[in-house]
Amino acid sequence: MSSSDAPEDGPKESSSVSQNISDADAFKILLEMKLKKRQKKPSLPNTVTELDAEDGSKVYVVGTAHFSDSSKKDVVKTIQEVQPDVVVVELCQYRVSMLKMDEKTLLKEAKEINLEKLQQAIKQNGVMSGLMQMLLLKVSAHITEQLGMAPGGEFREAFKEASKVPFCKFHLGDRPIPVTFKRAIAALSFWQKVKLAWGLCFLSDPISKDDVEKCKQKDLLEQMMAEMIGEFPDLHRTIVSERDIYLTYMLKQAAKQIELPRASENEPRQYIPAVVVGVVGMGHVPGIEKNWNSDLKIQEIMSVPPPSVSSKVFKFVVKATFLGLLGYGCYRVGHRTVQFALSMPATHLYLQRLTEVSQQWTWSRAWSRGSV
């Protein structure tokens, strides 16, 4: 109904009602509506792990496969069932842009790995961490190309659904990616870096959607993790185990009791338990469960150790190889260009005239000095 069609006393009545309701009362009304919509015994997917905080708060951790339509549905259903106060996702501020991009743009971005992205990664994370980031992006691009699906769909669905829940906050729960890459590089020996880079560069195994959905089975995932631990235990510690601790810490911080608004300062403070939904990769769920009841401190896993001797050597080798290939490329291009130019008739004529002019100049100088 337009404003011209509304009854004359309509706006006056709504205005008086809005003036009589305080912000605290309005908050309580909307909160009651939210709590009524929240299911006391929610029907949740089997990928959801329920955790209890000391103050009575509930945390529902949705384990996902990052390239999965089924995971998107699991996230949507969980948020709709529990009507959370906070949604925490496995993203950091350096990857938050994927929440605002559409699927088509993300699909294009994931497939395109160019020199500009490499320069940006190196500028942001340093040479070694930047190269490692680009190699992992190559793996992501390989999966994207195989499946025709952009990564992070479950995080975008979580962002959309959280915006529909009253008073629901949205938190980024992952450790900043530059810290993770720098700690991972520092943890590997020289030959481990070479072996890892070689394996990532030549990754070409076909991947099906069934393979991705199998990642949601804990037994298969634990088997894959065990294989990874056997080959790169230090890499697993920095990329998986340390991030398990960080994600657990952020989930526990989000699961603090909520303070209800007060009509005046004289009223006593009232708190209610919070409900939190965490959206993380299935590989992090066992670690979160393991660390949930521990007293966590993240200062140590947020520090970046100084580069080791092997890191410096590897960095020198990479730079030397890059500069060598660049120099050789310039030489080959320059050599072919010179050969092509010398084969042209116009070049021969120009050189012949240049020789004649040079000889005339030499003779004129000699004559002026009395040598002739």
Side-chain angles (χ1 to χ4, degrees), residues 196-268:
L196 178 64
W198 182 268
L200 293 175
C201 281
F202 294 96
L203 179 71
S204 59
D205 294 336
I207 301 171
S208 67
K209 290 191 176 183
D210 290 337
D211 293 331
V212 176
E213 293 302 327
K214 286 178 183 178
C215 286
K216 297 172 70 177
Q217 301 174 11
K218 292 188 178 182
D219 54 343
L220 175 63
L221 191 65
E222 288 175 2
Q223 179 183 349
M224 293 170 61
M225 286 299 173
E227 293 174 0
M228 184 178 178
I229 290 172
E231 193 168 1
F232 298 106
D234 292 325
L235 190 66
H236 177 269
R237 173 176 57 81
T238 53
I239 291 183
V240 180
S241 299
E242 290 183 357
R243 288 173 62 220
D244 289 346
I245 295 173
Y246 191 91
L247 287 164
T248 307
Y249 178 83
M250 296 302 290
L251 285 168
K252 293 179 78 170
Q253 290 297 309
K256 301 291 185 182
Q257 285 191 333
I258 300 171
E259 181 181 356
L260 296 177
R262 296 178 293 166
S264 68
E265 294 293 331
N266 297 327
E267 284 191 12

Side-chain angles (χ1 to χ4, degrees), residues 68-97:
S68 169
D69 286 327
S70 179
S71 288
K72 296 180 190 178
K73 296 175 183 177
D74 290 351
V75 170
V76 171
K77 181 175 179 58
T78 303
I79 293 177
Q80 289 177 350
E81 286 284 315
V82 304
Q83 294 290 296
D85 303 300
V86 185
V87 172
V88 181
V89 295
E90 184 197 331
L91 288 176
C92 67
Q93 64 267 36
Y94 294 93
R95 293 176 288 159
V96 72
S97 59

